[in-house]
Amino acid sequence: MSVSANTETPLVEVRDLVKHFAPGGGLIARRNAGAVRAVDGISFAIGRGETLGLVGESGCGKSTTARLLMRLLDATSGQILFEGQDITRLKGPPLKAIRRQAQMIFQDPYSSLNPRKTVGSVIGEPFAIHGLHRDRGERRREVQGLMEMVGLNPEHFNRYPHEFSGGQRQRIGVARAVALRPKLLIADEPVSALDVSIQAQVLNLLRNLQRSLGLTVVLIAHDLSVVRHMCDRVAVMYLGKIVEIGPNEPLYDSPSHPYTGALLSAVPLPDPSLHGRPRRLLGGDPPSPANPPPGCSFHTRCPKAQERCSEQEPELTERGPGWTSACHFPLSEAERAAMGVGGVGGVAA
Ligand code: SF4
């Protein structure tokens, strides 16, 4: 095995990934009228040990992207490379082997746990599926080690999910997800169903595990403030496309795309002295992904839209090292200040 080659390869590379759903819910192989363009040609790479935030309003395609990465959905077209191997059409044992390397944490800790199983068997389920730690005592020790790792009392091994709080249930989901020591962890809105007071605890747990286990993480959220302190890079999605992607600092300090600016402007600030900052809240709902507007898909809601925007789709254009956005008329510093976002005169989440 060539070590040097492996260190060069991103853990995950997504190339022009497309997922269209037929109006009736079935899969279609090509674009046609009425197809729901849930994911519409996105490309990005995730380095080993990196945390990428995937952000956008509900329905923008981020959860579909997660399910495509996990191969819980088949792509309409495009490629997903995992350690350089195209997994887009894998089946059978090779797919099972990849699934061991990629695990997911779901949004709702209430519905993602089987209420009839004890916590011990929920967390130990991946071992059963993959034929690991078959000895009862050994499996119990492994599971209790995982419970301790995520901050649960190992003595509660035989309790049922309903005996735990929301935050504890999400910890159970995290323990199950890291049981097989995956390389990739996808967390789909892991804290949005939790009380605000609990959210930071679960995010801190994820960050600590990411560091101690060397995980590569995709963190999905509708709120840019949730991913700020956890992610190295952020990708902002709108109507099935990535409209801005880049390292944390430039993206939060000087967002280039008006949609990123609007998401940041909407973030509530805990510091009362900043409550008077200007804000530009986004009006209306995103258009239907079954009938996206021509040109820039954001033009129906964009305060900066001009004629060109409805005619010509903007391409992702470099704004700085590793940072691109798709906009004909990127935000200026004065516009960022007027929205209350960014560096000088504005506030990053
Ligand atoms: Fe707004 Fe035009 Fe930029 Fe689209 S291309 S985000 S409509 S300014």
Side-chain angles (χ1 to χ4, degrees), residues 257-258 296 298-299 302 304-306 309 314 326-329:
H257 197 283
C296 172
F298 187 53
H299 84 257
C302 180
K304 292 195 66 177
Q306 301 183 32
C309 302
C327 176
H328 296 309
F329 308 104

Side-chain angles (χ1 to χ4, degrees), residues 187-311:
D188 187 2
E189 301 268 11
V191 298
S192 59
L194 302 177
D195 287 350
V196 175
S197 57
I198 307 294
Q199 290 183 357
Q201 294 173 18
V202 172
L203 288 173
N204 283 340
L205 169 67
L206 286 174
R207 187 166 49 182
N208 291 340
L209 289 177
Q210 187 268 329
R211 287 176 183 160
S212 61
L213 301 178
L215 293 167
T216 302
V217 177
V218 177
L219 178 61
I220 293 173
H222 58 272
D223 183 340
L224 271 162
S225 65
V226 167
V227 303
R228 165 99 210 212
H229 300 292
M230 168 109 192
C231 296
D232 303 300
R233 285 190 307 138
V234 177
V236 179
M237 288 188 74
Y238 188 77
L239 229 54
K241 295 179 191 292
I242 290 176
V243 296
E244 183 157 11
I245 180 168
N248 255 5
E249 271 192 19
L251 196 134
Y252 281 88
D253 289 348
S254 46
S256 158
H257 197 283
Y259 182 58
T260 312
L263 289 181
L264 279 170
S265 192
V267 169
L269 296 173
D271 182 349
S273 70
L274 298 171
H275 283 180
R277 90 189 208 268
R279 294 175 85 185
R280 290 278 168 80
L281 299 184
L282 204 49
D285 295 319
S288 164
N291 188 22
C296 172
S297 57
F298 187 53
H299 84 257
T300 54
R301 301 168 81 197
C302 180
K304 292 195 66 177
Q306 301 183 32
E307 204 175 325
R308 181 180 169 198
C309 302
S310 56
E311 293 167 353

Side-chain angles (χ1 to χ4, degrees), residues 152-188:
L152 292 168
N153 185 342
E155 289 174 14
H156 296 165
F157 181 88
N158 284 320
R159 292 195 178 179
Y160 288 87
H162 74 268
E163 297 177 75
F164 293 84
S165 68
Q168 287 172 327
R169 284 184 225 193
Q170 195 54 294
R171 287 174 191 269
I172 296 167
V174 172
R176 181 174 58 183
V178 300
L180 298 173
R181 300 293 193 273
K183 292 179 179 167
L184 177 67
L185 185 66
I186 299 178
D188 187 2

